Amino acid sequence: MAFFRKATLAEPYQSFVTALSSLLTQQAGQPLPLCRLNELAREQGLYTHAYFGTLGFSKDNKIPAGELLVAKDVSQLAKLATEDWQTEFKTDTPQEKSCLSPWLTSKERYFTLYVAPTTFGAGKALAATVLPKTKVYQNHPSGEFVLETFGELLYCTYRLDLALHPQLEENHLPEERIAPPLTTTPLLDVLTEIAHQRLSDLDLQYLFTWLLQYSAAITATSSLYASYSQADLPAEVLEQTTSLVKNLVQEISQIPRQLENNATDSLQLSAQLLDQIPKLFEEAQNKMTALKAQLGQKNDNDSTNLD
């Protein structure tokens, strides 16, 4: 039986739901590592949400669950409607009990299966909310491009966090207990500052200019990471990109301080930034066109080699 026929979700959610149908059919009545849900999501390109489970009755004594038990009869999953899945993949709540809970249980007592936005999913949603409300975004044609670039940087940092912190989502630890600290956190802090209007227009102009200047490097790194569907990135990729991504994040997190230290004439700097933005936007677009052409040529060569 084909599950979820009524689902008409956007990608990559629809691909995940379809793949999940096949997985649960195969595993009906059998144990299933919880991490397999998240692995499956990543294989389908879904990084905005992740699953985790807890064992225990008391809030203070709950521990992560490592294994699920798939129900023997999963046919009723077909009754899940599009609205159920849309609720499953919301980004405006920290966590929700998964709609899969009736069919994914545990041999242990007091088990609960949750789904939650990842730091990438939450950050991307927050950026899409707060950046378009700023005057800098509204007054310049580069706004959408900057928003896209910020989203790609969030993706880079999240992929790096996944690679550096095994079982990051399944363990679902409080941020203060994660070591080393998450690379994505400073970007979320910047977005929070923007949401609370703690960054001036001058700060935001500098941020836009900075993102335009480094957009090609960010997009290239994002494309490289996206070519690997598993959470672990190859050692050589981490060696080449870890310091780059962390330096980019550090630069963004220090933008307000840099302006305070370097801006002797805020009006002059503001005018300078406004002059730079259209030029940098054009350069970034040209770099992107060249990068896409290179990737297209590489794909053509790979296809030729396979023939």
Side-chain angles (χ1 to χ4, degrees):
M1 177 183 292
F3 294 154
F4 320 130
R5 289 178 179 173
K6 296 180 180 179
T8 54
L9 299 167
E11 294 295 347
Y13 304 103
Q14 182 61 59
S15 294
F16 170 67
V17 169
T18 302
L20 183 65
S21 163
S22 177
L23 174 66
L24 297 185
T25 299
Q26 296 170 10
Q27 294 293 130
Q30 302 179 45
L32 178 72
L34 191 150
C35 63
R36 185 68 189 107
L37 296 181
N38 293 330
E39 290 172 357
L40 185 68
R42 293 163 194 150
E43 289 168 6
Q44 305 306 316
L46 199 167
Y47 286 87
T48 58
H49 292 74
Y51 290 90
F52 70 97
T54 61
L55 297 172
F57 182 76
S58 171
K59 180 179 179 181
D60 297 330
N61 295 324
K62 289 185 177 182
I63 60 174
E67 189 172 75
L68 304 170
L69 182 62
V70 183
K72 293 180 180 180
D73 182 5
V74 293
S75 60
Q76 294 301 307
L77 280 164
K79 294 185 177 181
L80 289 176
T82 302
E83 292 75 14
D84 296 316
W85 290 107
Q86 290 173 338
T87 299
E88 185 88 342
F89 299 129
K90 290 192 303 182
T91 56
D92 57 354
T93 53
Q95 65 187 50
E96 291 283 352
K97 186 175 180 180
S98 173
C99 66
L100 297 169
S101 295
W103 303 278
L104 293 177
T105 59
S106 172
K107 295 180 181 179
E108 305 293 333
R109 298 178 64 189
Y110 306 119
F111 167 77
T112 307
L113 179 66
Y114 294 99
V115 61
T118 62
T119 51
F120 166 61
K124 188 176 181 180
L126 183 58
T129 300
V130 303
L131 283 180
K133 293 180 180 179
T134 65
K135 292 181 180 179
V136 176
Y137 181 99
Q138 296 168 3
N139 293 338
H140 301 288
S142 57
E144 291 185 8
F145 185 86
V146 168
L147 177 58
E148 182 179 349
T149 301
F150 200 104
E152 289 182 339
L153 183 56
L154 283 165
Y155 176 78
C156 291
T157 59
Y158 179 62
R159 290 300 305 269
L160 190 59
D161 285 337
L162 282 179
L164 298 179
H165 299 82
Q167 301 288 300
L168 173 66
E169 301 299 354
E170 292 81 8
N171 290 336
H172 201 70
L173 294 173
E175 190 171 321
E176 60 271 15
R177 292 177 55 191
I178 300 176
L182 295 179
T183 314
T184 309
T185 301
L187 298 183
L188 300 181
D189 291 341
V190 169
L191 290 173
T192 301
E193 292 290 294
I194 296 173
H196 291 287
Q197 300 181 343
R198 294 174 184 151
L199 295 187
S200 67
D201 286 348
L202 186 61
D203 294 331
L204 291 172
Q205 289 166 9
Y206 192 97
L207 174 64
F208 273 45
T209 304
W210 188 95
L211 285 168
L212 289 170
Q213 183 176 354
Y214 288 97
S215 62
I218 293 170
T219 299
T221 305
S222 174
S223 299
L224 176 62
Y225 285 179
S227 65
Y228 299 95
S229 61
Q230 67 274 24
D232 293 337
L233 295 170
E236 60 272 18
V237 171
L238 288 175
E239 183 178 351
Q240 294 172 2
T241 61
T242 298
S243 61
L244 168 65
V245 173
K246 288 188 174 182
N247 286 339
L248 291 173
V249 171
Q250 183 179 12
E251 287 293 323
I252 280 191
S253 65
Q254 293 179 346
I255 280 177
R257 185 158 53 251
Q258 288 174 343
L259 287 179
E260 291 173 4
N261 293 338
N262 299 325
T264 56
D265 186 338
S266 60
L267 291 177
Q268 180 181 356
L269 180 55
S270 177
Q272 179 182 350
L273 290 172
L274 290 174
D275 289 340
Q276 286 179 343
I277 285 176
K279 180 181 178 181
L280 289 170
F281 178 60
E282 182 178 356
E283 290 178 355
Q285 291 282 48
N286 292 338
K287 290 177 182 177
M288 279 297 302
T289 301
L291 178 62
K292 289 179 180 178
Q294 284 182 337
L295 293 174
Q297 182 64 41
K298 181 178 182 300
N299 291 336
D300 291 341
N301 292 340
D302 291 344
S303 299
T304 302
N305 292 336
L306 292 174
D307 292 340

